[in-house]
Amino acid sequence: VNDADVPAASKALCQSCNAPIIWTVTAAGKPMPVDRAPGGHGDTAANLKLTVVGGVVRSRVLAAHLAFGNTSLHLSHFVRCPQSKVWRKPSQYKRRSTPR
Ligand SMILES: [Zn+2]
């Protein structure tokens, strides 16, 4: 997603580590903080494709074979946030085995 396309209301700073994040909505309708800087992992299920629909940033998990080498993907902030174990709720982050 282009940074310019992200609604200002969706941009924030992580309250734990102060990193720039984007608040997104997952396929399950749950809020999910994502690192604002693009860059995925080749080896994790946390590669997210972001799309802006009606002013809401939606995040979708891509399968590893689709995500590999794709530099426009974003990574869930849960992966890198040093405080994620403190504030992350397991129910907000479920791995999806089948991509949409
Ligand atoms: Zn953080």
Side-chain angles (χ1 to χ4, degrees):
V1 68
N2 260 330
D3 196 60
D5 295 336
V6 177
S10 299
K11 295 179 181 177
L13 296 178
C14 176
Q15 293 187 26
S16 296
C17 71
N18 232 27
I21 59 172
I22 301 171
W23 278 105
T24 70
V25 178
T26 69
K30 301 276 178 61
M32 160 89 82
V34 171
D35 285 348
R36 201 179 299 175
H41 278 186
D43 59 352
T44 173
N47 291 295
L48 300 169
K49 179 178 172 63
L50 303 188
T51 52
V52 181
V53 180
V56 174
V57 185
R58 296 162 61 140
S59 53
R60 295 293 179 270
V61 176
L62 285 190
H65 70 284
L66 294 175
F68 187 81
N70 187 334
T71 57
S72 69
L73 300 179
H74 291 250
L75 198 59
S76 164
H77 185 57
F78 291 137
V79 175
R80 291 191 178 122
C81 183
Q83 301 300 319
S84 67
K85 286 192 171 53
V86 177
W87 58 274
R88 156 180 167 181
K89 295 180 195 161
S91 63
Q92 286 187 327
Y93 183 61
K94 286 182 186 158
R95 290 195 172 194
R96 188 169 285 279
S97 54
T98 52
R100 292 198 174 177

